[in-house]
């Protein structure tokens, strides 16, 4: 049985947890002074769960897959910013490694859902004959 709402998606739950953890980092005194860093990492971390939620609502596998690809890009961007946080000593190595585990889990869950969606056929495509799809440029 599929998810009844986007909050039931494991990838959304993990992305949301990552977002919460990132927000906590931006409140650390050393990081809070770096406004550009805080803005960049908050935006990338917020983007992942937002794209998953928006894609879920599209109700078409192909459209949902596009939003998951954007979420995955934001996960990678967040990972990059976490590296910057470590280099700038906003976070310690132990916290960085913990966050990388969360990033990896979020990425894997999102990739698995993406793989599933990419194998799904859009119901609208099944209802059209191959001739109709060619005529419409699909």
């Amino acid at each position: 049985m599929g998810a009844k709402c986007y909050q039931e998606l494991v990838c959304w739950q993990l992305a949301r947890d990552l977002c919460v953890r990132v927000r906590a980092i931006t409140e650390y005194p050393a990081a809070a002074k770096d406004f550009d860093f805080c803005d960049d990492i908050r935006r990338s971390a917020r983007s992942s769960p937002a794209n998953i939620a928006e894609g879920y609502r599209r109700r078409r596998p192909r459209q949902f897959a596009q939003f998951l690809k954007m979420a995955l890009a934001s996960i990678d961007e967040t990972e990059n910013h976490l590296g910057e946080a470590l280099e700038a000593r906003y976070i310690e190595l132990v916290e960085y490694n913990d966050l990388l585990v969360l990033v990896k889990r979020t990425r894997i869950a999102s990739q698995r859902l993406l793989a599933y969606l990419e194998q799904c056929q859009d119901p609208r495509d099944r209802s059209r004959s191959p001739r109709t799809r060619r005529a419409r440029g699909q």
Side-chain angles (χ1 to χ4, degrees), residues 30-75:
K33 295 174 186 174
D34 188 341
F35 300 113
D36 290 336
F37 167 78
C38 290
D39 186 50
D40 288 346
I41 196 168
R42 280 186 196 132
R43 284 177 190 262
S44 67
R46 278 196 316 243
S47 181
S48 299
N51 276 304
I52 293 166
E54 185 172 354
Y56 175 85
R57 185 49 56 195
R58 296 300 171 121
R59 301 282 189 205
R60 298 275 188 249
R62 190 179 307 155
Q63 290 177 332
F64 192 0
Q66 284 303 113
F67 280 90
L68 270 174
K69 289 175 185 175
M70 288 186 278
L72 281 160
S74 294
I75 292 165

mmCIF file of all heavy atoms in Angstrom, residues 30-75:
data_model
loop_
_atom_site.group_PDB
_atom_site.id
_atom_site.type_symbol
_atom_site.label_atom_id
_atom_site.label_comp_id
_atom_site.label_asym_id
_atom_site.label_seq_id
_atom_site.Cartn_x
_atom_site.Cartn_y
_atom_site.Cartn_z
ATOM 1 N N ALA A 30 29.353 30.454 16.303
ATOM 2 C CA ALA A 30 30.353 30.681 15.247
ATOM 3 C C ALA A 30 29.699 30.700 13.863
ATOM 4 O O ALA A 30 30.014 31.554 13.034
ATOM 5 C CB ALA A 30 31.436 29.598 15.301
ATOM 6 N N ALA A 31 28.790 29.768 13.612
ATOM 7 C CA ALA A 31 28.123 29.694 12.307
ATOM 8 C C ALA A 31 27.149 30.844 12.116
ATOM 9 O O ALA A 31 27.021 31.382 11.004
ATOM 10 C CB ALA A 31 27.396 28.362 12.167
ATOM 11 N N ALA A 32 26.460 31.227 13.161
ATOM 12 C CA ALA A 32 25.426 32.265 13.062
ATOM 13 C C ALA A 32 25.980 33.588 12.546
ATOM 14 O O ALA A 32 25.244 34.376 11.938
ATOM 15 C CB ALA A 32 24.755 32.462 14.414
ATOM 16 N N LYS A 33 27.267 33.829 12.750
ATOM 17 C CA LYS A 33 27.887 35.065 12.283
ATOM 18 C C LYS A 33 28.122 35.072 10.778
ATOM 19 O O LYS A 33 28.302 36.126 10.184
ATOM 20 C CB LYS A 33 29.223 35.282 13.000
ATOM 21 C CG LYS A 33 29.067 35.511 14.482
ATOM 22 C CD LYS A 33 30.420 35.581 15.158
ATOM 23 C CE LYS A 33 30.264 35.655 16.661
ATOM 24 N NZ LYS A 33 31.547 35.589 17.363
ATOM 25 N N ASP A 34 28.132 33.879 10.175
ATOM 26 C CA ASP A 34 28.362 33.742 8.730
ATOM 27 C C ASP A 34 27.001 33.687 8.035
ATOM 28 O O ASP A 34 26.462 32.624 7.754
ATOM 29 C CB ASP A 34 29.178 32.475 8.455
ATOM 30 C CG ASP A 34 29.636 32.353 7.014
ATOM 31 O OD1 ASP A 34 29.051 33.031 6.142
ATOM 32 O OD2 ASP A 34 30.560 31.556 6.764
ATOM 33 N N PHE A 35 26.457 34.851 7.759
ATOM 34 C CA PHE A 35 25.103 34.942 7.221
ATOM 35 C C PHE A 35 24.954 34.246 5.878
ATOM 36 O O PHE A 35 23.934 33.596 5.629
ATOM 37 C CB PHE A 35 24.666 36.408 7.107
ATOM 38 C CG PHE A 35 24.655 37.118 8.419
ATOM 39 C CD1 PHE A 35 25.547 38.150 8.670
ATOM 40 C CD2 PHE A 35 23.756 36.765 9.422
ATOM 41 C CE1 PHE A 35 25.546 38.818 9.878
ATOM 42 C CE2 PHE A 35 23.742 37.422 10.643
ATOM 43 C CZ PHE A 35 24.644 38.446 10.868
ATOM 44 N N ASP A 36 25.938 34.380 5.005
ATOM 45 C CA ASP A 36 25.849 33.740 3.690
ATOM 46 C C ASP A 36 25.818 32.223 3.827
ATOM 47 O O ASP A 36 25.015 31.552 3.176
ATOM 48 C CB ASP A 36 27.020 34.150 2.792
ATOM 49 C CG ASP A 36 26.938 35.606 2.356
ATOM 50 O OD1 ASP A 36 25.816 36.165 2.348
ATOM 51 O OD2 ASP A 36 27.989 36.177 2.019
ATOM 52 N N PHE A 37 26.695 31.684 4.653
ATOM 53 C CA PHE A 37 26.714 30.242 4.883
ATOM 54 C C PHE A 37 25.363 29.772 5.421
ATOM 55 O O PHE A 37 24.782 28.797 4.932
ATOM 56 C CB PHE A 37 27.835 29.853 5.855
ATOM 57 C CG PHE A 37 27.703 28.446 6.366
ATOM 58 C CD1 PHE A 37 28.075 27.374 5.571
ATOM 59 C CD2 PHE A 37 27.169 28.187 7.622
ATOM 60 C CE1 PHE A 37 27.917 26.062 6.024
ATOM 61 C CE2 PHE A 37 27.010 26.896 8.085
ATOM 62 C CZ PHE A 37 27.390 25.835 7.288
ATOM 63 N N CYS A 38 24.870 30.457 6.442
ATOM 64 C CA CYS A 38 23.598 30.058 7.057
ATOM 65 C C CYS A 38 22.453 30.094 6.049
ATOM 66 O O CYS A 38 21.630 29.172 5.991
ATOM 67 C CB CYS A 38 23.279 30.944 8.256
ATOM 68 S SG CYS A 38 24.369 30.643 9.663
ATOM 69 N N ASP A 39 22.421 31.130 5.245
ATOM 70 C CA ASP A 39 21.363 31.244 4.245
ATOM 71 C C ASP A 39 21.471 30.106 3.222
ATOM 72 O O ASP A 39 20.466 29.468 2.894
ATOM 73 C CB ASP A 39 21.458 32.601 3.549
ATOM 74 C CG ASP A 39 20.307 32.853 2.614
ATOM 75 O OD1 ASP A 39 19.141 32.675 3.038
ATOM 76 O OD2 ASP A 39 20.555 33.224 1.449
ATOM 77 N N ASP A 40 22.678 29.837 2.746
ATOM 78 C CA ASP A 40 22.872 28.796 1.730
ATOM 79 C C ASP A 40 22.503 27.407 2.250
ATOM 80 O O ASP A 40 21.776 26.666 1.590
ATOM 81 C CB ASP A 40 24.329 28.780 1.251
ATOM 82 C CG ASP A 40 24.691 29.971 0.389
ATOM 83 O OD1 ASP A 40 23.770 30.688 -0.068
ATOM 84 O OD2 ASP A 40 25.897 30.189 0.181
ATOM 85 N N ILE A 41 22.994 27.051 3.419
ATOM 86 C CA ILE A 41 22.743 25.704 3.924
ATOM 87 C C ILE A 41 21.277 25.529 4.337
ATOM 88 O O ILE A 41 20.691 24.461 4.135
ATOM 89 C CB ILE A 41 23.724 25.307 5.050
ATOM 90 C CG1 ILE A 41 23.677 23.777 5.253
ATOM 91 C CG2 ILE A 41 23.455 26.069 6.330
ATOM 92 C CD1 ILE A 41 24.792 23.231 6.118
ATOM 93 N N ARG A 42 20.673 26.577 4.875
ATOM 94 C CA ARG A 42 19.244 26.484 5.216
ATOM 95 C C ARG A 42 18.398 26.281 3.969
ATOM 96 O O ARG A 42 17.485 25.461 3.957
ATOM 97 C CB ARG A 42 18.769 27.752 5.931
ATOM 98 C CG ARG A 42 19.112 27.812 7.378
ATOM 99 C CD ARG A 42 18.452 29.034 8.000
ATOM 100 N NE ARG A 42 19.032 29.357 9.276
ATOM 101 C CZ ARG A 42 19.416 30.573 9.648
ATOM 102 N NH1 ARG A 42 19.268 31.598 8.843
ATOM 103 N NH2 ARG A 42 19.934 30.775 10.840
ATOM 104 N N ARG A 43 18.704 27.029 2.926
ATOM 105 C CA ARG A 43 17.937 26.909 1.681
ATOM 106 C C ARG A 43 18.069 25.514 1.073
ATOM 107 O O ARG A 43 17.079 24.926 0.645
ATOM 108 C CB ARG A 43 18.384 27.961 0.659
ATOM 109 C CG ARG A 43 17.887 29.334 0.944
ATOM 110 C CD ARG A 43 18.463 30.317 -0.089
ATOM 111 N NE ARG A 43 18.197 31.666 0.275
ATOM 112 C CZ ARG A 43 17.199 32.387 -0.207
ATOM 113 N NH1 ARG A 43 16.366 31.853 -1.065
ATOM 114 N NH2 ARG A 43 17.036 33.626 0.168
ATOM 115 N N SER A 44 19.281 25.005 1.020
ATOM 116 C CA SER A 44 19.461 23.679 0.423
ATOM 117 C C SER A 44 18.796 22.599 1.262
ATOM 118 O O SER A 44 18.164 21.683 0.725
ATOM 119 C CB SER A 44 20.946 23.363 0.199
ATOM 120 O OG SER A 44 21.647 23.229 1.418
ATOM 121 N N ALA A 45 18.892 22.713 2.574
ATOM 122 C CA ALA A 45 18.284 21.716 3.454
ATOM 123 C C ALA A 45 16.759 21.789 3.410
ATOM 124 O O ALA A 45 16.084 20.755 3.440
ATOM 125 C CB ALA A 45 18.780 21.897 4.885
ATOM 126 N N ARG A 46 16.208 22.981 3.315
ATOM 127 C CA ARG A 46 14.740 23.127 3.236
ATOM 128 C C ARG A 46 14.195 22.660 1.900
ATOM 129 O O ARG A 46 13.050 22.209 1.801
ATOM 130 C CB ARG A 46 14.347 24.599 3.425
ATOM 131 C CG ARG A 46 14.277 25.036 4.845
ATOM 132 C CD ARG A 46 13.518 26.347 4.987
ATOM 133 N NE ARG A 46 13.891 27.320 3.977
ATOM 134 C CZ ARG A 46 14.459 28.492 4.242
ATOM 135 N NH1 ARG A 46 14.710 28.836 5.478
ATOM 136 N NH2 ARG A 46 14.754 29.318 3.283
ATOM 137 N N SER A 47 14.999 22.777 0.867
ATOM 138 C CA SER A 47 14.552 22.448 -0.473
ATOM 139 C C SER A 47 14.218 20.966 -0.646
ATOM 140 O O SER A 47 13.267 20.625 -1.351
ATOM 141 C CB SER A 47 15.632 22.857 -1.484
ATOM 142 O OG SER A 47 15.220 22.582 -2.794
ATOM 143 N N SER A 48 14.971 20.090 0.003
ATOM 144 C CA SER A 48 14.750 18.650 -0.181
ATOM 145 C C SER A 48 13.361 18.201 0.260
ATOM 146 O O SER A 48 12.607 17.649 -0.555
ATOM 147 C CB SER A 48 15.825 17.839 0.544
ATOM 148 O OG SER A 48 17.087 18.141 0.021
ATOM 149 N N PRO A 49 12.970 18.396 1.511
ATOM 150 C CA PRO A 49 11.624 17.949 1.890
ATOM 151 C C PRO A 49 10.522 18.705 1.136
ATOM 152 O O PRO A 49 9.477 18.137 0.835
ATOM 153 C CB PRO A 49 11.559 18.191 3.399
ATOM 154 C CG PRO A 49 12.633 19.167 3.701
ATOM 155 C CD PRO A 49 13.694 18.975 2.660
ATOM 156 N N ALA A 50 10.776 19.961 0.802
ATOM 157 C CA ALA A 50 9.775 20.737 0.065
ATOM 158 C C ALA A 50 9.549 20.150 -1.327
ATOM 159 O O ALA A 50 8.402 20.026 -1.786
ATOM 160 C CB ALA A 50 10.199 22.199 -0.033
ATOM 161 N N ASN A 51 10.616 19.772 -2.005
ATOM 162 C CA ASN A 51 10.476 19.185 -3.336
ATOM 163 C C ASN A 51 9.821 17.810 -3.281
ATOM 164 O O ASN A 51 9.031 17.456 -4.160
ATOM 165 C CB ASN A 51 11.827 19.106 -4.049
ATOM 166 C CG ASN A 51 12.169 20.406 -4.726
ATOM 167 O OD1 ASN A 51 11.415 20.909 -5.530
ATOM 168 N ND2 ASN A 51 13.320 20.952 -4.382
ATOM 169 N N ILE A 52 10.128 17.042 -2.268
ATOM 170 C CA ILE A 52 9.490 15.730 -2.113
ATOM 171 C C ILE A 52 7.988 15.920 -1.900
ATOM 172 O O ILE A 52 7.165 15.235 -2.523
ATOM 173 C CB ILE A 52 10.137 14.933 -0.965
ATOM 174 C CG1 ILE A 52 11.583 14.575 -1.330
ATOM 175 C CG2 ILE A 52 9.332 13.675 -0.655
ATOM 176 C CD1 ILE A 52 12.422 14.082 -0.167
ATOM 177 N N ALA A 53 7.619 16.854 -1.043
ATOM 178 C CA ALA A 53 6.201 17.120 -0.780
ATOM 179 C C ALA A 53 5.494 17.613 -2.038
ATOM 180 O O ALA A 53 4.392 17.144 -2.366
ATOM 181 C CB ALA A 53 6.066 18.148 0.342
ATOM 182 N N GLU A 54 6.114 18.528 -2.751
ATOM 183 C CA GLU A 54 5.480 19.055 -3.956
ATOM 184 C C GLU A 54 5.355 17.972 -5.029
ATOM 185 O O GLU A 54 4.327 17.852 -5.690
ATOM 186 C CB GLU A 54 6.259 20.247 -4.509
ATOM 187 C CG GLU A 54 5.566 20.901 -5.677
ATOM 188 C CD GLU A 54 6.205 22.197 -6.117
ATOM 189 O OE1 GLU A 54 7.138 22.689 -5.468
ATOM 190 O OE2 GLU A 54 5.746 22.732 -7.157
ATOM 191 N N GLY A 55 6.390 17.175 -5.183
ATOM 192 C CA GLY A 55 6.335 16.089 -6.161
ATOM 193 C C GLY A 55 5.261 15.077 -5.842
ATOM 194 O O GLY A 55 4.554 14.592 -6.732
ATOM 195 N N TYR A 56 5.115 14.751 -4.577
ATOM 196 C CA TYR A 56 4.084 13.799 -4.152
ATOM 197 C C TYR A 56 2.706 14.275 -4.605
ATOM 198 O O TYR A 56 1.895 13.496 -5.086
ATOM 199 C CB TYR A 56 4.118 13.637 -2.631
ATOM 200 C CG TYR A 56 3.004 12.758 -2.117
ATOM 201 C CD1 TYR A 56 3.148 11.381 -2.092
ATOM 202 C CD2 TYR A 56 1.804 13.313 -1.684
ATOM 203 C CE1 TYR A 56 2.108 10.570 -1.625
ATOM 204 C CE2 TYR A 56 0.770 12.517 -1.227
ATOM 205 C CZ TYR A 56 0.927 11.145 -1.197
ATOM 206 O OH TYR A 56 -0.097 10.349 -0.772
ATOM 207 N N ARG A 57 2.439 15.547 -4.454
ATOM 208 C CA ARG A 57 1.129 16.096 -4.782
ATOM 209 C C ARG A 57 0.857 16.079 -6.290
ATOM 210 O O ARG A 57 -0.289 16.148 -6.716
ATOM 211 C CB ARG A 57 1.024 17.517 -4.231
ATOM 212 C CG ARG A 57 -0.313 18.152 -4.394
ATOM 213 C CD ARG A 57 -1.506 17.330 -3.965
ATOM 214 N NE ARG A 57 -1.419 16.888 -2.593
ATOM 215 C CZ ARG A 57 -2.181 15.943 -2.068
ATOM 216 N NH1 ARG A 57 -3.101 15.357 -2.781
ATOM 217 N NH2 ARG A 57 -2.034 15.579 -0.821
ATOM 218 N N ARG A 58 1.872 15.973 -7.126
ATOM 219 C CA ARG A 58 1.680 15.980 -8.576
ATOM 220 C C ARG A 58 0.921 14.756 -9.064
ATOM 221 O O ARG A 58 0.318 14.766 -10.113
ATOM 222 C CB ARG A 58 3.015 16.095 -9.301
ATOM 223 C CG ARG A 58 3.751 17.388 -9.038
ATOM 224 C CD ARG A 58 2.905 18.573 -9.484
ATOM 225 N NE ARG A 58 3.489 19.818 -9.051
ATOM 226 C CZ ARG A 58 3.858 20.779 -9.879
ATOM 227 N NH1 ARG A 58 3.702 20.643 -11.165
ATOM 228 N NH2 ARG A 58 4.382 21.885 -9.398
ATOM 229 N N ARG A 59 1.000 13.666 -8.330
ATOM 230 C CA ARG A 59 0.223 12.448 -8.604
ATOM 231 C C ARG A 59 0.581 11.743 -9.910
ATOM 232 O O ARG A 59 -0.110 10.843 -10.331
ATOM 233 C CB ARG A 59 -1.277 12.738 -8.597
ATOM 234 C CG ARG A 59 -1.787 13.292 -7.316
ATOM 235 C CD ARG A 59 -1.931 12.205 -6.309
ATOM 236 N NE ARG A 59 -2.617 12.719 -5.134
ATOM 237 C CZ ARG A 59 -2.474 12.196 -3.957
ATOM 238 N NH1 ARG A 59 -1.712 11.167 -3.778
ATOM 239 N NH2 ARG A 59 -3.108 12.705 -2.942
ATOM 240 N N ARG A 60 1.608 12.149 -10.574
ATOM 241 C CA ARG A 60 2.066 11.475 -11.789
ATOM 242 C C ARG A 60 3.502 11.032 -11.554
ATOM 243 O O ARG A 60 4.335 11.846 -11.131
ATOM 244 C CB ARG A 60 2.007 12.399 -12.998
ATOM 245 C CG ARG A 60 0.623 12.895 -13.346
ATOM 246 C CD ARG A 60 -0.096 11.862 -14.217
ATOM 247 N NE ARG A 60 -1.346 12.385 -14.710
ATOM 248 C CZ ARG A 60 -2.531 11.938 -14.306
ATOM 249 N NH1 ARG A 60 -2.613 11.002 -13.397
ATOM 250 N NH2 ARG A 60 -3.619 12.434 -14.812
ATOM 251 N N PRO A 61 3.805 9.761 -11.813
ATOM 252 C CA PRO A 61 5.160 9.258 -11.536
ATOM 253 C C PRO A 61 6.265 10.080 -12.199
ATOM 254 O O PRO A 61 7.279 10.383 -11.577
ATOM 255 C CB PRO A 61 5.130 7.832 -12.085
ATOM 256 C CG PRO A 61 3.696 7.432 -12.028
ATOM 257 C CD PRO A 61 2.919 8.696 -12.297
ATOM 258 N N ARG A 62 6.071 10.448 -13.455
ATOM 259 C CA ARG A 62 7.115 11.189 -14.170
ATOM 260 C C ARG A 62 7.358 12.556 -13.534
ATOM 261 O O ARG A 62 8.497 12.988 -13.361
ATOM 262 C CB ARG A 62 6.724 11.348 -15.642
ATOM 263 C CG ARG A 62 7.868 11.890 -16.484
ATOM 264 C CD ARG A 62 7.490 12.019 -17.937
ATOM 265 N NE ARG A 62 6.952 10.766 -18.448
ATOM 266 C CZ ARG A 62 6.129 10.672 -19.480
ATOM 267 N NH1 ARG A 62 5.740 11.750 -20.114
ATOM 268 N NH2 ARG A 62 5.690 9.512 -19.888
ATOM 269 N N GLN A 63 6.284 13.243 -13.152
ATOM 270 C CA GLN A 63 6.429 14.559 -12.519
ATOM 271 C C GLN A 63 7.040 14.424 -11.127
ATOM 272 O O GLN A 63 7.906 15.223 -10.753
ATOM 273 C CB GLN A 63 5.081 15.254 -12.440
ATOM 274 C CG GLN A 63 4.545 15.687 -13.783
ATOM 275 C CD GLN A 63 3.173 16.297 -13.671
ATOM 276 O OE1 GLN A 63 2.406 15.976 -12.766
ATOM 277 N NE2 GLN A 63 2.844 17.198 -14.592
ATOM 278 N N PHE A 64 6.588 13.431 -10.378
ATOM 279 C CA PHE A 64 7.147 13.202 -9.040
ATOM 280 C C PHE A 64 8.643 12.918 -9.153
ATOM 281 O O PHE A 64 9.445 13.437 -8.370
ATOM 282 C CB PHE A 64 6.399 12.060 -8.360
ATOM 283 C CG PHE A 64 6.671 11.909 -6.878
ATOM 284 C CD1 PHE A 64 7.532 12.735 -6.178
ATOM 285 C CD2 PHE A 64 6.015 10.909 -6.186
ATOM 286 C CE1 PHE A 64 7.759 12.570 -4.815
ATOM 287 C CE2 PHE A 64 6.237 10.729 -4.819
ATOM 288 C CZ PHE A 64 7.113 11.561 -4.142
ATOM 289 N N ALA A 65 9.027 12.131 -10.149
ATOM 290 C CA ALA A 65 10.444 11.800 -10.344
ATOM 291 C C ALA A 65 11.273 13.060 -10.576
ATOM 292 O O ALA A 65 12.394 13.174 -10.056
ATOM 293 C CB ALA A 65 10.602 10.825 -11.511
ATOM 294 N N GLN A 66 10.739 14.014 -11.321
ATOM 295 C CA GLN A 66 11.474 15.266 -11.566
ATOM 296 C C GLN A 66 11.724 16.015 -10.261
ATOM 297 O O GLN A 66 12.812 16.541 -10.035
ATOM 298 C CB GLN A 66 10.705 16.158 -12.552
ATOM 299 C CG GLN A 66 10.812 15.704 -13.982
ATOM 300 C CD GLN A 66 12.242 15.614 -14.453
ATOM 301 O OE1 GLN A 66 12.739 14.531 -14.727
ATOM 302 N NE2 GLN A 66 12.934 16.718 -14.533
ATOM 303 N N PHE A 67 10.734 16.049 -9.390
ATOM 304 C CA PHE A 67 10.901 16.733 -8.113
ATOM 305 C C PHE A 67 11.870 15.971 -7.205
ATOM 306 O O PHE A 67 12.629 16.589 -6.450
ATOM 307 C CB PHE A 67 9.547 16.943 -7.427
ATOM 308 C CG PHE A 67 8.807 18.122 -7.983
ATOM 309 C CD1 PHE A 67 7.944 17.974 -9.057
ATOM 310 C CD2 PHE A 67 8.992 19.384 -7.453
ATOM 311 C CE1 PHE A 67 7.273 19.070 -9.583
ATOM 312 C CE2 PHE A 67 8.323 20.485 -7.959
ATOM 313 C CZ PHE A 67 7.464 20.328 -9.042
ATOM 314 N N LEU A 68 11.861 14.653 -7.294
ATOM 315 C CA LEU A 68 12.825 13.874 -6.505
ATOM 316 C C LEU A 68 14.248 14.145 -6.977
ATOM 317 O O LEU A 68 15.179 14.192 -6.168
ATOM 318 C CB LEU A 68 12.515 12.381 -6.595
ATOM 319 C CG LEU A 68 11.566 11.861 -5.537
ATOM 320 C CD1 LEU A 68 11.219 10.405 -5.797
ATOM 321 C CD2 LEU A 68 12.136 12.010 -4.147
ATOM 322 N N LYS A 69 14.435 14.328 -8.261
ATOM 323 C CA LYS A 69 15.771 14.658 -8.781
ATOM 324 C C LYS A 69 16.242 16.000 -8.232
ATOM 325 O O LYS A 69 17.419 16.161 -7.883
ATOM 326 C CB LYS A 69 15.761 14.667 -10.305
ATOM 327 C CG LYS A 69 15.624 13.285 -10.911
ATOM 328 C CD LYS A 69 15.493 13.324 -12.412
ATOM 329 C CE LYS A 69 15.235 11.941 -12.976
ATOM 330 N NZ LYS A 69 14.993 11.968 -14.426
ATOM 331 N N MET A 70 15.322 16.953 -8.134
ATOM 332 C CA MET A 70 15.682 18.249 -7.542
ATOM 333 C C MET A 70 16.001 18.087 -6.060
ATOM 334 O O MET A 70 16.943 18.707 -5.550
ATOM 335 C CB MET A 70 14.557 19.261 -7.747
ATOM 336 C CG MET A 70 14.423 19.719 -9.179
ATOM 337 S SD MET A 70 13.209 21.036 -9.398
ATOM 338 C CE MET A 70 11.697 20.084 -9.466
ATOM 339 N N ALA A 71 15.233 17.245 -5.362
ATOM 340 C CA ALA A 71 15.499 16.993 -3.945
ATOM 341 C C ALA A 71 16.876 16.364 -3.770
ATOM 342 O O ALA A 71 17.622 16.739 -2.856
ATOM 343 C CB ALA A 71 14.418 16.087 -3.352
ATOM 344 N N LEU A 72 17.222 15.426 -4.647
ATOM 345 C CA LEU A 72 18.545 14.785 -4.559
ATOM 346 C C LEU A 72 19.663 15.798 -4.791
ATOM 347 O O LEU A 72 20.696 15.748 -4.118
ATOM 348 C CB LEU A 72 18.641 13.632 -5.564
ATOM 349 C CG LEU A 72 17.947 12.351 -5.122
ATOM 350 C CD1 LEU A 72 17.659 11.439 -6.308
ATOM 351 C CD2 LEU A 72 18.787 11.639 -4.078
ATOM 352 N N ALA A 73 19.461 16.714 -5.718
ATOM 353 C CA ALA A 73 20.470 17.755 -5.943
ATOM 354 C C ALA A 73 20.632 18.625 -4.699
ATOM 355 O O ALA A 73 21.755 18.988 -4.322
ATOM 356 C CB ALA A 73 20.081 18.604 -7.150
ATOM 357 N N SER A 74 19.534 18.921 -4.029
ATOM 358 C CA SER A 74 19.608 19.720 -2.807
ATOM 359 C C SER A 74 20.274 18.956 -1.668
ATOM 360 O O SER A 74 20.977 19.552 -0.849
ATOM 361 C CB SER A 74 18.205 20.171 -2.383
ATOM 362 O OG SER A 74 17.684 21.058 -3.344
ATOM 363 N N ILE A 75 20.064 17.656 -1.626
ATOM 364 C CA ILE A 75 20.749 16.824 -0.627
ATOM 365 C C ILE A 75 22.257 16.893 -0.849
ATOM 366 O O ILE A 75 23.032 17.064 0.099
ATOM 367 C CB ILE A 75 20.236 15.371 -0.680
ATOM 368 C CG1 ILE A 75 18.786 15.310 -0.204
ATOM 369 C CG2 ILE A 75 21.127 14.442 0.142
ATOM 370 C CD1 ILE A 75 18.071 14.015 -0.554
#
